[in-house]
Amino acid sequence: MSTLWRVADVVSGVPETETSRTIGLRVDGLMGNLAGQHLDIRLTADDGYTAVRSYSVATASMDEIIEITVDELVNGEVSPYLVRDLTVGDQLEIRGPVGGWFVWRPTDTNPVQLIAGGSGVVPLMSMIRAHEASENPSPFRLLYTLKSPQAGFYREELLTLGQQSPKLTVDYVYTRSVPQGWPTAPKRLTAETLLANIQPPDATPDTFICGQTIFVETVAEWLVEAGYPAASIKTERFGGTGGTR
């Protein structure tokens, strides 16, 4: 982990949805990242004004290439530029990877339950990729809550993994519209729906929750009320107090 600001070269930019983009960065001397870590990105205007925002890392590699997925906020200071204007060949100031608590390591042997709201899937995808690349056989299960199928990140990859991986189960809750042929109508996530689509308490999973603050706090409360130990629940949240991205 580095706490110094460094220069990263933009090597790729791939749309995930109409308002989001996965950006590949090459950082000289980078030795990879832990699954679940984030980067700080600093933009500096011509008049010297700076804005710093944190973005979760989507990859879990051991080389100089790292990816973030950025969802554009309409009134954001940084995300519109990263999604709409940044091009391959540009450079960014970055710090990190940062974080050592909301992470998964291949040496962790417990079952894992991942719960994502919207763009909160990014650090959890890093964990899924690290798990798939490892020899760790522990079961992973992802519950992904989305407004619509079109709002999902990593759609093809998650579809393939959900169908083919013996180590990963993927469940979805759609709140506004559902895919064609989906067996249920769109609905808000409830405690009952949550508990029906995750590993049970007696499986003693390590649980990672990421999404907007109200989503994370509500889900964590439901889990504790259902008997999941609070110490086994780790949360990462955005929105509400951290300013605009």
Side-chain angles (χ1 to χ4, degrees):
M1 181 182 74
S2 174
T3 58
L4 301 176
W5 289 101
R6 295 187 282 179
V7 173
D9 296 310
V10 178
V11 295
S12 62
V14 179
E16 290 290 341
T17 69
E18 291 184 354
T19 61
S20 64
R21 186 186 193 197
T22 292
I23 299 166
L25 303 171
R26 184 181 63 80
V27 185
D28 287 339
L30 185 70
M31 299 300 293
N33 63 282
L34 296 176
Q37 289 185 309
H38 65 271
L39 292 179
D40 294 331
I41 292 181
R42 180 169 66 186
L43 299 185
T44 303
D46 292 338
D47 62 2
Y49 174 77
T50 61
V52 178
R53 298 291 183 268
S54 296
Y55 294 98
S56 295
V57 177
T59 45
S61 61
M62 296 303 294
D63 55 29
E64 295 183 331
I65 303 295
I66 198 167
E67 289 182 351
I68 60 173
T69 301
V70 180
D71 196 22
E72 180 183 17
L73 295 183
V74 175
N75 297 317
E77 289 186 320
V78 175
S79 60
Y81 171 76
L82 298 179
V83 173
R84 304 292 177 186
D85 300 324
L86 190 71
T87 62
V88 172
D90 287 346
Q91 293 183 322
L92 291 173
E93 283 188 290
I94 67 105
R95 181 171 59 192
V98 179
W101 182 73
F102 192 83
V103 298
W104 180 83
R105 296 173 173 84
T107 53
D108 296 340
T109 58
N110 282 353
V112 172
Q113 178 64 56
L114 308 171
I115 304 173
S119 61
V121 76
V122 179
L124 308 187
M125 194 67 199
S126 175
M127 296 178 190
I128 289 170
R129 288 167 168 165
H131 183 237
E132 288 294 319
S134 76
E135 298 181 357
N136 187 317
S138 60
F140 265 46
R141 188 168 182 177
L142 169 67
L143 176 59
Y144 193 4
T145 301
L146 291 165
K147 294 178 181 178
S148 68
Q150 295 74 27
F153 290 6
Y154 323 118
R155 281 180 282 176
E156 293 302 319
E157 184 176 358
L158 282 175
L159 177 63
T160 300
L161 287 173
Q163 293 175 342
Q164 300 180 5
S165 174
K167 302 194 294 183
L168 176 67
T169 301
V170 182
D171 303 280
Y172 295 91
V173 172
Y174 296 102
T175 61
R176 294 187 183 176
S177 65
V178 298
Q180 186 174 3
W182 196 252
T184 60
K187 58 186 176 181
R188 297 189 65 179
L189 183 67
T190 64
E192 181 180 10
T193 302
L194 171 74
L195 297 174
N197 288 280
I198 62 174
Q199 299 184 52
D202 58 12
T204 63
D206 291 332
T207 301
F208 296 85
I209 312 169
C210 187
Q212 292 191 347
T213 298
I214 186 63
F215 171 85
V216 170
E217 291 178 349
T218 299
V219 169
E221 183 178 346
W222 286 341
L223 291 177
V224 172
E225 290 175 351
Y228 293 80
S232 70
I233 302 169
K234 295 184 179 181
T235 61
E236 183 88 355
R237 64 199 72 193
F238 54 84
T241 59
T244 57
R245 286 187 174 184

